[in-house]
Amino acid sequence: MKKILLSIILTVPFYTIAQQQVKCGNADVLKPYLENSAAAKRNADIIDSVKTAFFNDPQKLADAQNATYIIPVVFHVFANNAQALVPVAQCQSALDKANEDFNAWNADLSTVDPEFIGRASSIKINFVLAQKDTNGNATLGVTYHPLDSGFGAYQVMDNIIAQYAWNNYKYMNIYVMNDLFGNGVNNNSGIAYPPDTYNSNNKIDRIVYNYWYLGNTGSSIADPEFQSTITHEYGHWLSLGHTFGGNCNDADGIADTPPSDAAGGGCGPNAVHCGGNINGENYMDYNASCYKMYTQGQVTKMLAALQHPTRFPLWQQSNLIAAGLGQYVGINDVNKQEIKCIVNDNILYTDAEKFFIYDLLGNLVVQQSNSYNYSLSHIASGAYIISLEKEGQQQFKKITVLKQ
């Protein structure tokens, strides 16, 4: 009994610290690079040019919005007894939460401040554990290593990180440890590097994340809201900035996120900063107790970031096949019931409530609801990806249309 009580006493203070506020390293560690680096400006200009193209061509934006993006992920875990401390299931649960947030499947979306609910948006992106490594061998998408620290520090550990990295143009690399910056501080949540060709060329593009806050099992002590902190870091990885800062100027350059001069400025109505209400429930603020939404402007910028040279190759069909995700791609969920999908004589038979068919370039070919036997006679021969939706679940499969 004494041992159990001691464990509780030691755990509670860390949990309390975790819930107060996100401790994201981007605000401090990467600030000099993001604000003063010519390379950072060049990469930002690439993304801004795509955004401009979206605004000038609504169809191009609509195509990007309708596409589905699958990102192969590998976790590299550094800890004593790492496999027991951070099991594969913990990494998977973190991806499940990120996928839920990005696709706006979170149950609390309906409780967003009425002033901002009309700005809420989603992106059809799924982060999936790789099933093949860089050599084509089977993998669970998680690698384990002895205790180490400091991978979040800017430039300090780059040579070591490159030794562990999988090809940055083929996998999102997440490094999991407790002391992110090698300074003995264990309650920092994470840091994510935005799109940067130098980093990807040198295998140092990365997210570094604290296993205390990763997912909902294993070593995680994060409550359901704080688990969305990884969604915050993924936002940085897709070029989003914080919604606060800048002395009430437009800190993130996005029109529909109102300025705030304070991190974690408050949740819900009447959270007033800079002369107006702030979107405190935004994933890119620091309110880890009420994360609920991305705005339409943020989603447009992330869609533009997915066209950046460092992000575009990740979600291409050829890369998904190489990472073992070409046949069945989507969210891994052992409790999910299989949705039936059969193509016979160019008739699609399915028990899905809704389905979408995309060509291999991500273009929407068919959007159909409430049809359990659908003729594919008007579709050209070839391979397609079908998104199937049923009872709040989504699955992806590859189908082939053959015509005589």
Side-chain angles (χ1 to χ4, degrees), residues 169-241:
Y169 288 96
K170 295 180 179 295
Y171 305 89
M172 168 195 268
N173 284 256
I174 304 178
Y175 300 88
V176 179
M177 52 188 53
N178 195 217
D179 179 358
L180 306 190
F181 304 110
N183 57 3
V185 177
N186 295 324
N187 66 330
N188 290 301
S189 57
I191 184 170
Y193 282 61
D196 185 295
T197 51
Y198 175 87
N199 288 345
S200 291
N201 288 343
N202 289 278
K203 299 174 69 175
I204 55 175
D205 182 50
R206 61 195 183 272
I207 294 175
V208 186
Y209 205 76
N210 193 328
Y211 54 73
W212 277 354
Y213 313 134
L214 184 74
N216 61 15
T217 188
S219 53
S220 175
I221 60 173
D223 69 16
E225 286 293 345
F226 203 86
Q227 289 168 36
S228 289
T229 301
I230 199 166
T231 305
H232 175 105
E233 299 304 337
Y234 280 17
H236 285 312
W237 188 81
L238 287 172
S239 81
L240 294 185

Side-chain angles (χ1 to χ4, degrees), residues 113 115-116 248 258-280 285 287:
D113 178 352
E115 181 174 346
F116 297 105
C248 290
S260 173
D261 58 355
C267 301
N270 303 315
V272 179
H273 284 265
C274 301
N277 289 336
I278 63 169
N279 183 205
D285 203 326
N287 289 315

Side-chain angles (χ1 to χ4, degrees), residues 20-21 28 121 186 294 303 311 353:
Q20 290 175 354
Q21 195 176 88
D28 299 315
S121 190
N186 295 324
Y294 282 123
L303 290 171
R311 303 295 185 245
E353 297 163 353

